[in-house]
Amino acid sequence: SVTGLGFSAYVDPAGLADLQLRMRDSDQGIYSIRPRGLRPHYGPIVYLQPLNPENLAAVGFDMYSEPVRQAAMRAAMESGQVRLTGRVRLVQDGAKDVPGMLMYIPVYQGVQTPSTVAARRQSMKGWVYVPFRFEHMVRA
């Protein structure tokens, strides 16, 4: 089943610091990114609806830090098209081994998808994404 609809930003370390300040200044509180660490790029979950406890716990997770998620995120960014991950464990499911997948839709600055891979990387803002549990989706 679909567990939500969210947005994940695409930022470098300077952009991450700006994002954290913007979140704090908009009364969102302290916006902590996990896992911690310095990386060239981040893809943290900025928001995820509906606002239930499981989805709220996922906010701040850097999906770009995980190889399976990053592969799909990068493919969506570079192609300008929707991409699915392979099997992942959704953050919302905690330690439970429930197979999940994520669908990523790239979001660029401007109204049109840039025409080259280099231009898409340059104007990338983030991804609208949909997490879902695989078994529930197949049954439906």
Side-chain angles (χ1 to χ4, degrees), residues 25 28 30-31 43 45 55 86 91 107 124 135 138:
D25 292 345
Q28 301 293 317
I30 295 175
Y31 180 64
I45 298 170
N55 285 347
V91 177
V107 177
M124 187 66 180
E135 291 178 27
V138 170

Side-chain angles (χ1 to χ4, degrees), residues 1 3 69 85-90 93 96-102 131-139:
S1 66
T3 62
R69 287 171 170 86
T85 65
R87 180 187 172 177
V88 297
R89 180 180 297 162
L90 300 179
D93 290 330
K96 295 183 232 166
D97 189 21
V98 178
M101 295 180 82
L102 298 137
F132 57 92
R133 292 180 181 95
F134 185 72
E135 291 178 27
H136 298 143
M137 187 65 98
V138 170
R139 281 188 220 150

